[in-house]
């Protein structure tokens, strides 16, 4: 159980056991939130919760009953949930569309699209009753342009659209909804993917304006800001946190991002 007082406001983080999720847990605990780490991987979720004085609980975004049960558990056992970071996602490796595995397609849509939608409705229910809350979804820069992430990219584009829908539907009922869109972020899972040769950090760094990839805590900083009262006038936006990767795209037509050494 968390070493925190009942005065603290409650934040729930799906995918809280992952790289960006743990960074959110750490940041929101420092900001004084009571944090619930929700994940399918309970071993990791417990470790993250122990490291940061949070509470771990199981959720499976592929299962609506599990999402509903987790939301009800948080409200009943921890307290009124006033912030939700919907971070959990099924990731994907690059491939050509004709090589798309159908089962993986279904799993990605189930978790990222349907699961995120159900997470917002389940955790939003209590916020609607109380007329207050803030939600941040997690998209990706793959939402904005073509990429070889054939199922993942479309689900992230849909999450942006979904977040705007919720922002307008629930805005006058006291709930803000925004979407943070990370670029390549050096989480343990992505580092492992580099090590396996599935992704190349050097080609990714070359596409950034800043000449470096994103750190998980930099994504968490944006999420924490949008969840906080300081972002009280912000809803229905998508915020790239990508070291300027989206900004560089047309520079490739002119020889790429300038190298300060040349
Ligand atoms: N790391 C990046 O480069 C990057 C870039 C763009 C967007 N993102 C997004 O950031 C978010 C976090 O990614 P990450 O890099 O920390 O990945 P990660 O794999 O470290 O974390 C994802 C977490 O989600 C959990 N999860 C997966 N399926 C689940 C399910 N069905 N139910 C419950 N939990 C489930 C996993 O157990 C894991 O803890 C994701 O939404 C991802 O799409 C990441």
């Amino acid at each position: 159980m968390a070493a925190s007082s009942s005065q603290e406001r409650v934040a729930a983080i799906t995918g809280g056991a992952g790289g960006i999720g743990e960074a959110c847990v750490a940041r929101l605990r420092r900001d004084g939130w009571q944090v619930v780490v929700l994940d399918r991987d309970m071993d990791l979720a417990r470790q993250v919760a122990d490291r940061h004085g949070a509470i771990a609980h199981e959720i499976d975004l592929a299962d609506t009953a599990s999402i509903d049960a987790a939301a009800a558990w948080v409200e009943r056992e921890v307290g009124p949930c006033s912030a939700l970071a919907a971070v959990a996602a099924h990731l994907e490796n690059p491939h050509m569309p004709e090589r798309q595995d159908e089962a993986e397609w279904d799993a990605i849509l189930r978790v990222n699209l349907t699961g995120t939608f159900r997470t917002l409705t389940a955790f939003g229910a209590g916020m609607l009753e109380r007329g207050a809350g803030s939600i941040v979804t997690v998209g990706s820069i793959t939402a904005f342009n073509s990429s070889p992430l054939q199922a993942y990219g479309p689900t992230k584009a849909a999450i942006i659209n979904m977040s705007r829908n919720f922002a307008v539907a629930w805005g006058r009922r006291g709930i803000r909804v925004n979407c943070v869109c990370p670029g390549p972020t050096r989480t343990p899972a992505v580092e492992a993917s580099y090590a396996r040769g599935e992704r190349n950090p050097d080609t990714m760094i070359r596409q950034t304006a800043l000449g470096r990839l994103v750190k998980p805590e930099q994504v968490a900083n944006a999420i924490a800001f949008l969840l906080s009262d300081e972002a009280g006038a912000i809803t229905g936006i998508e915020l790239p946190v990508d070291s300027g990767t989206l900004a560089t795209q047309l520079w490739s037509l002119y020889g790429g991002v300038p190298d300060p050494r040349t």
Side-chain angles (χ1 to χ4, degrees), residues 14-22 38-41 44 59-63 86-91 111-112 138-142 152 156 159 180-190 194 199 219:
T14 71
I20 290 172
E22 177 168 8
L38 297 163
D39 209 284
R40 188 179 55 171
D41 187 330
L44 274 182
I59 195 169
D60 181 0
L61 262 65
D63 176 4
V87 181
H90 190 119
L91 310 184
V111 172
N112 298 4
V138 176
S140 160
I141 59 167
T142 58
Y152 175 91
K156 291 300 185 174
I159 285 174
V180 164
C181 294
T185 305
R186 300 200 87 130
T187 58
V190 168
Y194 295 151
R199 289 167 167 77
V219 181

Side-chain angles (χ1 to χ4, degrees), residues 14-254:
T14 71
I20 290 172
E22 177 168 8
C24 290
V25 175
R27 169 65 201 257
L28 292 178
R29 286 295 295 134
R30 282 202 305 278
D31 288 352
W33 293 84
Q34 170 84 296
V35 175
V36 187
V37 181
L38 297 163
D39 209 284
R40 188 179 55 171
D41 187 330
M42 277 307 288
D43 286 343
L44 274 182
R46 283 193 198 95
Q47 290 171 31
V48 168
D50 287 349
R51 277 198 286 275
H52 303 286
I55 301 167
H57 194 76
E58 190 165 16
I59 195 169
D60 181 0
L61 262 65
D63 176 4
T64 301
S66 166
I67 298 170
D68 290 344
W73 184 88
V74 171
E75 292 277 329
R76 190 177 64 245
E77 301 294 333
V78 187
C81 181
S82 53
L84 167 70
V87 181
H90 190 119
L91 310 184
E92 187 180 36
N93 283 326
H95 55 268
M96 294 292 278
E98 66 273 23
R99 298 185 66 85
Q100 180 67 51
D101 179 84
E102 196 175 331
E104 191 175 35
W105 172 274
D106 288 344
I108 290 171
L109 265 67
R110 178 84 202 162
V111 172
N112 298 4
L113 186 54
T114 310
T116 301
F117 182 85
R118 296 289 179 214
T119 301
L120 266 56
T121 56
F123 285 83
M127 298 181 189
L128 285 171
E129 272 175 26
R130 292 182 288 277
S134 57
I135 296 173
V136 173
T137 59
V138 176
S140 160
I141 59 167
T142 58
F144 296 99
N145 214 329
S146 167
S147 87
L149 304 184
Q150 309 297 344
Y152 175 91
T155 63
K156 291 300 185 174
I159 285 174
I160 290 177
N161 189 262
M162 182 194 304
S163 305
R164 288 186 177 202
N165 290 346
F166 276 89
V168 177
W170 290 355
R172 294 185 190 195
R173 300 170 74 184
I175 300 170
R176 294 182 301 101
V177 185
N178 293 293
C179 181
V180 164
C181 294
T185 305
R186 300 200 87 130
T187 58
V190 168
E191 295 286 1
S193 182
Y194 295 151
R196 290 192 299 268
E198 295 159 357
R199 289 167 167 77
N200 181 341
D202 297 329
T203 58
M204 291 182 165
I205 289 167
R206 273 200 291 280
Q207 295 293 323
T208 65
L210 295 177
R212 56 179 184 263
L213 300 182
V214 180
K215 297 178 187 164
E217 52 270 31
Q218 292 172 321
V219 181
N221 290 342
I223 292 173
F225 167 69
L226 289 170
L227 287 177
S228 78
D229 295 339
E230 297 207 323
I234 303 175
T235 199
I237 69 155
E238 46 281 343
L239 176 62
V241 180
D242 69 343
S243 292
T245 301
L246 288 173
T248 67
Q249 289 186 352
L250 293 184
W251 285 68
S252 63
L253 301 178
Y254 305 94

